[in-house]
């Protein structure tokens, strides 16, 4: 009997000891984990402090990836030399570019930003390709692209149709045949169904007289026609007025500049300012005051955070006008905005893209 | 095939001299003028003109204008112009003619190739200091203006690509546009003024297959306005311009008091191109040779000149 009781007591004691040992082990494990965490936290904190002391401030990093184009040199010399820890701190310090996945403990590129970044890297290549193209192919491809992009890009159609000489526009139409097996008019007519179609086809089909002869009385009377059409625009919208379309799409540029002048004399305002319809406004600007038009387009494009299409217009304008009237555009730009164009490009563009643009701008004189 | 008979070798100097002799004194030796100019192709004529200017310090064309008269003078003048210049002049005259001239504008815009039309537009710039489309637009309105300006400014793709599905859809569009007489013709105008000629032929063929009759059959009636007539002309010119020209000639000759303008226009512009094919069609249709029909209706030096261009020996 007593032996039985003693055996039970010993077993109980052994069980209690085992439990105590288990508890001690658990406590030790918890302590180890806590210590590790503290150590890790301390370590990383120290490293990023050291990193940011030895390298450039956060703001400058943002500029490598913002603006037009990418600063390839900085990327090569700085980012290219970082080790894994430095890259990690970079990722953590730029929440605009990377989002922290707290559950899985890593930082991932923001999808939207990667997509935008792709365009920035490729901006230089696009500029080079566009520059090396024959002007006819260039214009044909610009038209095709604008047709595909949709209504927001139709301004490019007006630009190509109205700022090129008659022979250049003709060349673009020939190149279009060769590249796309259709005529420009065909494709514009079948792609566009809105009311702008009439004006756009008429502008793209024009083969304007380019000589110096202008009939001033006709210019005066046509200025009156335009003035009346604008006054009656609430009854009959401008884009349905056949006479306005006729004048804008068939008359020579010199004639239209005379009309512009007479309009100003009649109504005290400028013709493009009085036109509400965007396409018509662009048409008049391109035909009568092209350097002002281009300066406006450049100004809208030379900003840090504009949409993709507006950014593209920077390349387009500089490449297509570098050999034509860049000098006059520079002068007009300075006139309108008080800043020199090269200076603004220097501010806003980066890397090889920036150097390429500046070269083209300077070429023009 | 051409009807013009021109020698392979010639001497522009001898020709210029002979012409100068023909102008000397009272009156003109029309026979020489016809014998020489009526047997020279476009390059040869330009060479003669250039050499004449060098030799005698005056423009041969101006001299001809002053020496000759009437229908004969008009036909020789048109014949001497370079083709692009001639088309520009014809277009300008047609614009001034208003309603009666629209079909000529359509003819020029639709029969010529893209490059020839372009050359004509350039010549128009040079001669009249305005663009062709300016003048056409100023003198027309509405649907007719859309159609004529569209035709005149077209620069059609010249390849052989055909899209059969497109031919079907556009054939249907044309059908419904033609049926509604006072409807919106924008789509029809778009198709006719922008598609390539090969594509349009495919469309017209599709139309005939689907509706049993050719597209021009029910297009016109007595109440047709200028727009419909121009539309009709455009389709006929694109479809088969030789048949179209045959009809122009037939109408020109048939009319009481021949339409010399039309006769001159067709003969002078097609003599070096396909007047022989047109003459064959004429014979098949009317059982009379074109030369004989023409000979009956006109007279004098004009007749001799036209017959020479038609390849007949006078």
């Amino acid at each position: 009997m007593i032996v039985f009781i003693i055996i039970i007591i010993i077993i109980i004691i052994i069980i209690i000891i085992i439990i105590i040992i288990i508890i001690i082990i658990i406590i030790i494990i918890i302590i180890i984990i806590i210590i590790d965490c503290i150590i890790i936290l301390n370590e990383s904190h120290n490293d990023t402090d050291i990193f940011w002391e030895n390298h450039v401030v956060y703001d400058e990093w943002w500029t490598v990836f913002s603006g037009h184009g990418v600063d390839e040199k900085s990327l090569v010399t700085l980012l290219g030399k970082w080790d894994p820890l430095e890259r990690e701190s970079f990722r953590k310090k730029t929440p605009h570019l990377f989002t922290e996945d707290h559950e899985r403990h890593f930082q991932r590129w923001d999808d939207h930003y990667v997509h935008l970044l792709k365009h920035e890297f490729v901006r230089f290549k696009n500029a080079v390709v566009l520059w090396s193209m024959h002007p006819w192919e260039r214009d044909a491809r610009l038209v095709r692209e604008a047709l595909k992009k949709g209504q927001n890009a139709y301004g490019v159609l007006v630009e190509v149709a109205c700022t090129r000489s008659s022979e250049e526009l003709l060349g673009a139409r020939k190149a279009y045949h060769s590249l796309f097996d259709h005529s420009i008019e065909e494709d514009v007519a079948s792609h566009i169904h809105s009311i702008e179609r009439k004006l756009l086809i008429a502008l793209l089909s024009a083969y304007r007289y380019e000589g110096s002869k202008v009939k001033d009385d006709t210019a005066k009377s046509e200025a009156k026609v335009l003035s009346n059409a604008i006054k009656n625009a609430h009854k009959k919208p401008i884009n349905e007025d056949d006479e306005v379309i006729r004048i804008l799409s068939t008359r020579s540029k010199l004639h239209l500049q005379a009309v512009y002048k007479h309009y100003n004399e009649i109504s005290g305002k400028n013709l493009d300012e009085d036109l509400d319809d965007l396409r018509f406004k662009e048409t008049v600007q391109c035909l009568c005051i092209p350097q002002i038009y281009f300066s406006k387009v450049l100004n809208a494009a030379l900003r840090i955070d504009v949409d993709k299409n507006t950014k593209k217009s920077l390349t387009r304008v500089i490449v297509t006008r570098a050999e034509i009237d860049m000098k006059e555009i520079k002068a007009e730009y300075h006139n309108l905005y008080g800043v020199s164009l090269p200076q603004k490009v220097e501010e806003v563009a980066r890397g090889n893209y920036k150097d390429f643009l500046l070269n083209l701008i300077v070429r023009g004189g | 095939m051409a009807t013009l008979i021109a020698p392979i070798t010639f001497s522009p100097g001898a020709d210029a001299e002979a012409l100068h002799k023909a102008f000397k004194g009272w009156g003109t030796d029309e026979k020489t003028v016809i014998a020489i100019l009526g047997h020279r192709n476009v390059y040869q004529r330009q060479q003669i003109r250039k050499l004449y200017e060098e030799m005698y310090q005056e423009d041969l064309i101006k001299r001809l204008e002053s020496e000759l008269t009437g229908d004969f003078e008009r036909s020789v003048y048109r014949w001497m112009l370079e083709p692009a210049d001639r088309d520009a002049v014809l277009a300008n005259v047609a614009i001034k003619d208003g309603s009666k001239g629209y079909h000529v504008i359509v003819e020029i815009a639709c029969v010529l190739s893209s490059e020839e039309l372009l050359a004509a537009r350039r010549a128009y710039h040079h001669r009249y200091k305005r663009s062709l489309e300016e003048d056409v637009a100023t003198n027309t309105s509405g649907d007719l203006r859309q159609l004529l300006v569209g035709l005149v400014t077209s620069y059609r793709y010249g390849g052989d690509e055909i899209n059969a599905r497109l031919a079907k859809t556009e054939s249907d569009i044309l059908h419904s546009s033609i049926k509604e007489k006072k409807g919106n013709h924008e789509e029809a105008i778009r198709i006719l003024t922008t598609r390539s000629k090969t594509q349009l032929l495919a469309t017209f063929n599709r139309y005939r297959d689907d509706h049993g009759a050719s597209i021009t059959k029910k297009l016109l009636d007595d109440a047709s306005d200028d727009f419909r007539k121009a539309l009709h002309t455009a389709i006929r010119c694109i479809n088969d311009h030789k048949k179209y020209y045959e009809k122009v000639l037939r109408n020109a000759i048939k009319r009481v008091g021949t339409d010399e303008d039309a006769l001159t226009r067709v003969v002078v512009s097609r003599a070096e191109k396909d007047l022989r094919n047109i003459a064959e069609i004429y014979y098949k249709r009317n059982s009379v040779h074109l030369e004989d029909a023409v000979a009956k209706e006109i007279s004098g030096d004009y007749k001799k000149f036209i017959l020479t261009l038609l390849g007949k020996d006078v």
Side-chain angles (χ1 to χ4, degrees):
Chain A
M1 232 7 240
I2 292 178
V3 181
F4 189 57
I5 292 174
I6 289 173
I7 289 175
I8 289 179
I9 289 174
I10 290 174
I11 289 175
I12 289 175
I13 289 174
I14 290 176
I15 290 174
I16 290 174
I17 290 175
I18 290 176
I19 289 173
I20 289 174
I21 290 176
I22 290 175
I23 289 174
I24 289 174
I25 290 176
I26 289 174
I27 290 175
I28 290 176
I29 289 174
I30 288 173
I31 290 175
I32 291 177
I33 289 174
I34 289 174
I35 290 177
D36 268 356
C37 284
I38 292 175
I39 289 177
I40 285 171
L41 276 169
N42 270 342
E43 232 173 48
S44 65
H45 185 67
N46 285 337
D47 269 356
T48 45
D49 272 350
I50 295 170
F51 169 71
W52 288 111
E53 275 165 26
N54 291 341
H55 291 76
V56 192
V57 179
Y58 165 71
D59 284 332
E60 279 208 33
W61 275 106
W62 177 230
T63 66
V64 171
F65 287 119
S66 70
H68 296 245
V70 189
D71 188 355
E72 292 94 348
K73 251 204 204 104
S74 300
L75 287 176
V76 166
T77 55
L78 296 172
L79 194 54
K81 296 204 180 125
W82 285 345
D83 65 31
L85 247 90
E86 288 167 320
R87 289 203 302 281
E88 177 156 347
S89 351
F90 169 65
R91 288 193 295 269
K92 287 190 174 163
K93 280 276 179 171
T94 51
H96 297 255
L97 309 182
F98 294 90
T99 33
E100 183 87 43
D101 185 331
H102 293 285
E103 204 190 310
R104 299 175 189 82
H105 304 291
F106 77 110
Q107 310 83 30
R108 40 179 292 197
W109 266 109
D110 174 82
D111 279 335
H112 177 66
Y113 202 82
V114 167
H115 183 73
L116 288 182
L117 201 58
K118 183 179 80 163
H119 288 288
E120 298 306 334
F121 270 98
V122 120
R123 214 168 282 285
F124 174 52
K125 161 226 160 207
N126 284 339
V128 169
V129 166
L130 199 65
W131 174 245
S132 53
M133 265 184 206
H134 191 293
W136 295 356
E137 181 179 352
R138 204 185 282 158
D139 285 342
R141 287 197 188 275
L142 285 174
V143 167
R144 179 79 160 183
E145 206 190 303
L147 278 178
K148 285 200 184 147
K149 283 223 190 99
Q151 191 163 40
N152 289 331
Y154 292 164
V156 175
L157 297 174
V158 174
E159 197 180 292
V160 170
C162 299
T163 60
R164 313 303 191 236
S165 76
S166 290
E167 291 299 325
E168 287 167 349
L169 179 57
L170 194 58
R173 292 168 83 180
K174 287 189 186 160
Y176 198 95
H177 283 191
S178 167
L179 293 167
F180 306 115
D181 290 326
H182 279 192
S183 60
I184 282 190
E185 315 84 273
E186 265 186 272
D187 280 357
V188 170
S190 47
H191 271 83
I192 303 182
H193 299 283
S194 57
I195 207 124
E196 328 179 272
R197 176 163 93 174
K198 239 189 206 176
L199 176 68
L200 291 174
I201 296 183
L203 292 176
L204 285 163
S205 312
Y207 186 57
R208 299 178 200 257
Y209 169 63
E210 292 197 306
S212 53
K213 186 142 181 259
V214 170
K215 268 209 178 130
D216 208 49
D217 330 330
T218 319
K220 220 184 246 171
S221 67
E222 290 187 342
K224 278 209 192 81
V225 168
L226 289 172
S227 167
N228 289 337
I230 290 175
K231 287 201 194 108
N232 291 325
H234 54 282
K235 281 189 240 145
K236 181 177 187 188
I238 284 278
N239 50 23
E240 285 174 24
D241 191 324
D242 279 346
E243 278 296 288
V244 175
I245 295 180
R246 167 184 74 76
I247 296 172
L248 292 179
S249 65
T250 62
R251 292 300 185 199
S252 76
K253 287 185 189 170
L254 267 166
H255 181 104
L256 286 170
Q257 281 160 16
V259 170
Y260 191 84
K261 189 183 93 200
H262 283 299
Y263 183 90
N264 193 305
E265 285 164 15
I266 299 176
S267 69
K269 300 248 289 288
N270 281 331
L271 180 54
D272 57 311
E273 289 162 12
D274 272 353
L275 285 164
D276 287 327
D277 182 298
L278 181 60
R279 292 286 103 75
F280 279 80
K281 201 193 275 281
E282 286 165 351
T283 303
V284 171
Q285 286 175 345
C286 285
L287 290 166
C288 304
I289 44 170
Q291 280 96 31
I292 295 183
Y293 166 81
F294 281 121
S295 300
K296 286 191 181 177
V297 173
L298 285 172
N299 188 50
L302 282 166
R303 300 206 186 154
I304 298 277
D305 282 319
V306 279
D307 68 84
K308 184 166 73 159
N309 283 332
T310 319
K311 272 190 174 178
K312 277 189 123 161
S313 49
L314 178 61
T315 308
R316 184 184 76 242
V317 172
I318 296 197
V319 166
T320 55
R321 305 316 284 182
E323 310 250 74
I324 314 266
D325 52 2
M326 185 50 76
K327 200 157 158 206
E328 290 85 347
I329 294 176
K330 270 197 295 196
E332 191 61 58
Y333 187 89
H334 189 95
N335 215 357
L336 285 170
Y337 304 111
V339 195
S340 87
L341 181 60
Q343 198 184 323
K344 194 74 194 181
V345 170
E346 183 76 52
E347 261 178 53
V348 165
R350 309 257 165 268
N352 291 334
Y353 179 63
K354 174 188 79 177
D355 294 334
F356 191 66
L357 287 184
L358 287 174
N359 257 312
L360 292 184
I361 295 175
V362 162
R363 252 180 99 80
Chain B
M1 270 226 322
T3 49
L4 178 71
I5 299 172
I8 301 176
T9 49
F10 80 116
S11 157
D15 285 340
E17 222 182 293
L19 284 168
H20 187 73
K21 221 169 99 188
F23 298 143
K24 264 215 291 247
W26 292 100
T28 320
D29 180 5
E30 288 91 355
K31 244 180 122 176
T32 310
V33 173
I34 295 174
I36 297 176
L37 296 178
H39 287 291
R40 301 288 180 268
N41 65 33
V42 61
Y43 308 107
Q44 296 168 331
R45 296 198 302 276
Q46 298 312 319
Q47 279 181 278
I48 297 172
R49 186 179 173 192
K50 207 168 107 204
L51 209 54
Y52 190 94
E53 173 115 32
E54 279 173 30
M55 285 164 70
Y56 305 108
Q57 281 84 48
E58 74 174 337
D59 185 0
L60 174 59
I61 293 184
K62 286 216 160 53
R63 192 58 195 265
L64 286 164
E65 272 184 287
S66 63
E67 293 282 332
L68 313 174
T69 55
D71 293 320
F72 179 44
E73 181 268 315
R74 241 191 314 276
S75 56
V76 172
Y77 175 73
R78 303 248 161 100
W79 177 243
M80 280 303 292
L81 291 175
E82 274 180 298
D85 208 11
R86 180 193 306 148
D87 293 324
V89 169
L90 287 173
N92 186 261
V93 168
I95 292 171
K96 295 208 183 98
D97 274 345
S99 197
K100 287 192 269 158
Y102 296 145
H103 63 285
V104 176
I105 300 173
V106 174
E107 239 178 69
I108 293 173
C110 295
V111 175
L112 296 181
S113 75
S114 286
E115 290 300 328
E116 287 169 338
L117 178 56
L118 211 52
R121 288 166 82 182
R122 264 193 210 110
Y124 198 96
H125 278 188
H126 192 75
R127 203 174 246 272
Y128 301 107
K129 312 291 184 229
R130 280 189 309 280
S131 63
L132 175 56
E133 55 266 33
E134 266 186 87
D135 284 351
V136 170
T138 328
N139 289 293
T140 52
S141 62
D143 277 342
L144 182 62
R145 176 195 283 177
Q146 288 293 105
L147 178 65
L148 290 182
V149 172
L151 289 174
V152 144
T153 57
S154 65
Y155 188 61
R156 303 180 198 264
Y157 169 64
D160 293 323
E161 304 277 314
I162 297 180
N163 182 325
R165 197 176 39 85
L166 200 58
K168 167 77 176 134
T169 24
E170 296 195 332
S171 150
D172 290 337
I173 294 175
L174 286 173
H175 182 70
S176 51
S177 181
I178 290 171
K179 261 203 317 189
E180 41 174 302
K181 302 230 161 165
K182 280 193 189 282
N184 182 313
H185 298 290
E186 250 196 75
E187 282 295 296
I189 294 175
R190 165 185 74 76
I191 295 170
L192 287 173
T193 59
T194 64
R195 293 295 181 200
S196 74
K197 287 190 183 163
T198 12
Q199 178 68 33
L200 284 174
L201 285 173
T203 308
F204 297 152
N205 286 336
R206 190 60 208 252
Y207 188 101
R208 201 180 46 234
D209 291 339
D210 284 346
H211 303 278
S214 96
I215 188 170
T216 47
K217 206 97 203 195
K218 298 269 182 74
L219 189 53
L220 285 186
D221 57 31
D222 289 328
S224 289
D225 59 0
D226 285 334
F227 168 67
R228 276 190 100 79
K229 290 195 203 143
L231 200 64
H232 184 249
T233 308
I235 297 175
R236 295 204 69 211
C237 283
I238 295 172
N239 213 348
D240 187 344
H241 69 268
K242 297 196 266 284
K243 255 171 88 183
Y244 166 78
Y245 275 128
E246 183 276 324
K247 182 148 191 217
V248 172
L249 286 172
R250 189 175 0 119
N251 285 337
I253 301 172
K254 181 171 69 179
R255 219 167 281 167
V256 180
T258 317
D259 184 355
E260 283 89 3
D261 252 349
L263 177 61
T264 304
R265 183 178 83 243
V266 178
V267 170
V268 159
S269 20
R270 308 313 290 177
E272 295 179 81
K273 296 204 171 142
D274 49 15
L275 193 52
R276 183 156 301 290
N277 308 75
I278 298 173
E280 277 164 17
I281 298 175
Y282 187 91
Y283 181 63
K284 275 202 204 117
R285 177 77 172 53
N286 303 294
S287 305
V288 187
H289 285 290
L290 179 60
E291 306 90 79
D292 298 329
V294 162
K296 270 212 305 209
E297 299 293 326
I298 58 178
S299 59
D301 295 313
Y302 177 56
K303 168 171 152 184
K304 289 198 200 108
F305 186 59
I306 294 290
L307 289 177
T308 309
L309 293 185
L310 280 169
K312 242 193 140 151
D313 256 323
V314 278

